[in-house]
Amino acid sequence: NELQLHYQPQISLEDGSISGAEALLRWTHPQLGAISPVEFIPIAESSGQIIPIGEWVIRTATSQLKAWLDNGLPAMVMAVNLSAVQFRQPNLTELVTNILKEASLSHEHLELELTEAVAMNDPQAAIAIMDKLFEHGIRMSIDDFGTGYSSLSYLKRFNVYKLKIDRSFVSNITDDPEDKAIVTAIISMASSLGMRTIAEGVETAGQLEFLRAQQCNEVQ
């Protein structure tokens, strides 16, 4: 019982409301203190422990969202990251569907995040998995967009509804003309493809204003 979830709010730029939250996995060890996910997630993946941990994360996050909604918070989405190992689980669709059923939540309340690198590792397989999830009403977004090696021809075939702009592009958008150009291009491309955009790591008023002016949908 040393793992816990922290929740980072996602804000709509259309009306300033909280549109969702991302569940972030954290580990506090009794002797070693806080251990970074950068350290423990790869170990969990290589050992196979990411499967039960990932299931616990989805179940805990959806239970938390149900509790918030039952307590009168407005409708929102819970975003949960999927590791490469989880994404390739043969029973992923059934697992997610069952967890939502247990929590008495409809599918539109959950969003599964997949990093661009994982999606592009085997794009044909990723397309098949995304299609199956989409058929069952489970929404997906591409995390860390712009940091991997996306083929735009594959992007249009991915059944995703949102691109998450990586914080490495957001941190200097008020000063760096290249970051401004990249972020503007991602937002414009996503909009043309019928996808929403969310920028992560937004920490200053200047960053917020730039993203609002470019019609980014959400910030985190």
Side-chain angles (χ1 to χ4, degrees):
N1 297 315
E2 292 167 16
L3 295 176
Q4 58 182 177
L5 294 182
H6 291 193
Y7 299 95
Q8 191 170 61
Q10 299 175 330
I11 312 296
S12 167
L13 288 184
E14 284 136 29
D15 61 8
S17 65
I18 293 180
S19 54
E22 181 182 359
L24 303 170
L25 184 62
R26 297 291 180 261
W27 179 17
T28 305
H29 190 278
Q31 281 81 44
L32 302 174
I35 298 174
S36 168
V38 176
E39 289 186 65
F40 73 80
I41 294 293
I43 298 168
E45 288 192 314
S46 63
S47 66
Q49 291 181 81
I50 196 67
I51 297 295
I53 290 172
E55 183 177 336
W56 175 84
V57 169
I58 298 172
R59 187 167 271 114
T60 305
T62 50
S63 296
Q64 178 63 77
L65 179 58
K66 183 68 165 69
W68 284 338
L69 298 177
D70 288 348
N71 282 320
L73 267 69
M76 66 174 80
V77 173
M78 180 64 75
V80 178
N81 290 283
L82 280 185
S83 75
V85 180
Q86 288 173 278
F87 184 58
R88 297 191 192 100
Q89 269 180 274
N91 67 333
L92 177 64
T93 304
E94 293 76 16
L95 175 71
V96 172
T97 300
N98 288 338
I99 289 173
L100 286 167
K101 199 177 291 182
E102 286 168 20
S104 301
L105 279 176
S106 55
H107 287 79
E108 62 265 21
H109 286 298
L110 179 67
E111 172 190 317
L112 299 177
E113 291 189 3
L114 189 70
T115 65
E116 183 183 19
V118 171
M120 289 307 300
N121 184 48
D122 185 350
Q124 291 292 357
I127 288 167
I129 297 167
M130 287 178 186
D131 285 350
K132 188 178 180 188
L133 290 166
F134 182 79
E135 284 167 17
H136 286 77
I138 300 164
R139 297 194 295 192
M140 294 209 67
S141 64
I142 297 289
D143 195 9
D144 301 341
F145 188 78
T147 61
Y149 299 95
S150 269
S151 159
L152 299 184
S153 63
Y154 278 120
L155 183 61
K156 71 177 184 179
R157 294 171 60 195
F158 286 161
N159 247 323
V160 296
Y161 90 115
K162 189 187 289 182
L163 297 182
K164 178 174 273 193
I165 302 166
D166 190 69
R167 66 181 306 133
S168 61
F169 300 118
V170 173
S171 57
N172 292 316
I173 49 173
T174 51
D175 308 310
D176 188 321
E178 291 179 348
D179 282 345
K180 283 183 180 181
I182 289 168
V183 170
T184 301
I186 292 172
I187 293 168
S188 175
M189 178 187 66
S191 177
S192 298
L193 290 171
M195 299 176 184
R196 294 177 64 80
T197 46
I198 180 167
E200 62 181 352
V202 179
E203 297 175 349
T204 71
Q207 293 165 348
L208 185 66
E209 286 313 307
F210 177 82
L211 291 161
R212 184 177 279 124
Q214 300 309 312
Q215 297 186 307
C216 183
N217 301 113
E218 297 167 90
V219 295
Q220 182 174 324

